[in-house]
Amino acid sequence: MKIIGEKINGTRKRVAQAIAERDAEFIKDLARKQAEAGSTWLDVNAGTHPEKEPDDLIWLVETIQSVVDTPLSLDSANPKALRIAIQAVNKTPMINSISGEPERLAGILPIVAEHACPVIALALDDKKIPETGERRFEVITKIIKETRALGIPDSNLYFDPLAMTLSTNTQSGMIAFETMRCVRQEYPEAHLTIGLSNISFGLPARSFVNRYFLSLAIQSGLDSAILDPLDREIQAAILTTELILGRDNHCLGFIRASRKGLFEKPVQ
Amino acid sequence: MKIIGEKINGTRKRVAQAIAERDAEFIKDLARKQAEAGSTWLDVNAGTHPEKEPDDLIWLVETIQSVVDTPLSLDSANPKALRIAIQAVNKTPMINSISGEPERLAGILPIVAEHACPVIALALDDKKIPETGERRFEVITKIIKETRALGIPDSNLYFDPLAMTLSTNTQSGMIAFETMRCVRQEYPEAHLTIGLSNISFGLPARSFVNRYFLSLAIQSGLDSAILDPLDREIQAAILTTELILGRDNHCLGFIRASRKGLFEKPVQ
């Protein structure tokens, strides 16, 4: 299970403040902690000011890279910001994200191809988010035609089936699982990822929904997720699920995490 | 999800003591609490003294029925004890259990047929527990031939695929899931059940293993389990999983449980 650490995100108030004030220590601390918690990538989102985004993204990239060497996930829909930021990274970054929207494909796919980046691809198009798993899979098939045409290997694709909140549609989880199973079956080299927190939006006890959704999604083929790697319950869900699915040799990962206290109740 | 409350079990020291001392209040308390927690059946196991079992089982049945009207699951491999106890029950009981062992089938299956009882059937035979899901499914197929020959409807069968501990075989969970998927596909009217606690035997943080195993098993088709209905984490796992799998209309079960405080940390 590959983790994309979600915490350095300028749409979050505290991070936006750190970016505005150039509070490098705050960003470095988030970077170090997420790297230590086992992130494969650190997501970097500079926020929603188009005119400031390129500068802010460069500052974030350089600040993060001054303390960790974890690859970054450049989280932007802005080709200009991506092209500038990609010059500043030390390691090939993930791009977050493309979708079936023609404009987004045209703007970002050439960057993905040129730099051989892994890329997150959302199962939505310009007609918005399809209501069924079948329709989302059609969007994915449309995207994969484009990526293959540019020589992008399926193994660099991380499809996000979109887990919308259960509070407005109780079938949201099942739609995401169906989409995932279709991708696993038809495009076995492609990966699956998900932004974890949407599923529980508007519900109480969100942490329970997030952790069980993650576990069930892993059983449906999920091999990556955008989440908070500092959340002990989420880490426990991942380790326990991998143990149960027979992916933890001699139970060593689980037992080691237990010895480190992961499964103990945090001190109140 | 149907729950078979596991707590009235004479192989547990405290319950054995209550049986020996005819401590009716202790048994009544376990019966009431498990019934209130939503058990569909209450398992009744009188322990391991063959000569005392019939008397002890009758006492337990009468004690429990004096306070709750939840159907019982008569947990015995002894046809004589079962035949006597079945005369004492107010409602058709579940029988726990048969297996592919010829002696057990010959002794217990006629009782199941005669009283139209739901019955738990373990996926093992006289050659012990099969190592693969395929072989366990063969045992299940053998059992179902016998039950059909006696006119027992598949819908009265609760197959237990046997979740052995992950600590000695990390594939144990996957073998159980494979067995369950075969049953779901080939015998859609039959049910699936599981004794929940074996999966984590010998591991640390057993509660985490149990709760995620239960959730993943529900996704694999489990519709019943023998477990402790007073375990809040287990109840939370069931409710959250049913929500995510789209089985909780308007999220009402989940939201109600949240309002009752199920997802809050218990006071330390």
Side-chain angles (χ1 to χ4, degrees), chain A residues 215-259:
Chain A
S215 177
L216 295 166
I218 293 172
Q219 192 175 38
S220 299
L222 191 77
D223 58 358
S224 142
I226 307 171
L227 51 77
D228 176 2
L230 308 185
D231 182 327
R232 291 157 54 102
E233 285 288 356
I234 288 293
Q235 290 279 8
I238 294 171
L239 278 163
T240 309
T241 302
E242 292 190 331
L243 170 71
I244 293 167
L245 296 181
R247 301 173 188 172
D248 183 4
N249 274 340
H250 305 292
C251 313
L252 279 181
F254 186 81
I255 290 169
R256 275 190 197 128
S258 170
R259 286 189 184 143

Side-chain angles (χ1 to χ4, degrees), chain B residues 16-236:
Chain B
Q17 183 191 339
I19 295 170
E21 295 172 0
R22 292 297 190 254
D23 179 355
E25 287 312 312
F26 182 83
I27 300 297
K28 287 178 185 173
D29 186 54
L30 287 183
R32 271 194 217 98
K33 283 181 178 159
Q34 291 187 100
E36 281 164 14
S39 301
T40 302
W41 296 277
L42 298 184
D43 199 62
V44 190
N45 179 313
T48 50
H49 299 287
E51 72 287 359
K52 292 187 196 162
E53 195 185 0
D55 281 353
D56 288 351
L57 200 50
I58 294 286
W59 177 76
L60 283 171
V61 165
E62 290 177 348
T63 303
I64 296 164
Q65 290 186 153
S66 73
V67 289
V68 300
D69 61 2
T70 309
L72 305 180
S73 164
L74 300 175
D75 183 355
S76 171
N78 178 350
K80 187 183 157 208
L82 286 173
R83 282 202 179 274
I84 293 172
I86 220 163
Q87 302 303 326
V89 298
N90 293 337
K91 294 188 174 175
T92 302
M94 173 177 263
I95 304 287
N96 180 10
S97 56
I98 57 169
S99 70
E101 296 160 285
E103 190 185 343
R104 209 146 157 183
L105 282 173
I108 298 177
L109 220 43
I111 306 174
V112 171
E114 182 181 341
H115 296 274
C117 300
V119 61
I120 295 174
L122 310 177
L124 58 83
D125 60 16
D126 49 337
K127 298 178 203 71
K128 293 185 186 161
I129 300 174
E131 301 258 328
T132 65
E134 196 184 356
R135 280 280 301 116
R136 289 189 199 172
F137 184 66
E138 283 173 27
V139 172
I140 286 168
T141 297
K142 188 178 115 181
I143 294 171
I144 218 163
K145 276 184 190 155
E146 303 265 352
T147 57
R148 285 178 174 178
L150 287 175
I152 297 166
D154 290 2
S155 59
N156 266 356
L157 303 176
Y158 288 74
F159 287 109
D160 182 339
L162 301 173
M164 311 310 293
T165 176
L166 292 158
S167 66
T168 54
N169 180 0
T170 53
Q171 297 309 307
S172 291
M174 295 303 280
I175 294 167
F177 296 150
E178 188 197 342
T179 310
M180 290 196 274
R181 282 189 288 261
C182 290
V183 172
R184 268 285 150 272
Q185 184 154 355
E186 294 296 319
Y187 306 120
E189 299 295 315
H191 301 278
L192 290 164
T193 196
I194 205 136
L196 187 60
S197 54
N198 291 339
I199 190 76
S200 59
F201 188 79
L203 286 170
R206 291 187 64 175
S207 163
F208 280 81
V209 181
N210 293 349
R211 71 183 82 147
Y212 283 101
F213 178 72
L214 180 61
S215 176
L216 295 166
I218 293 171
Q219 192 174 38
S220 299
L222 191 78
D223 59 358
S224 142
I226 307 170
L227 51 77
D228 177 1
L230 308 185
D231 182 328
R232 291 157 54 102
E233 285 288 355
I234 288 292
Q235 291 279 10

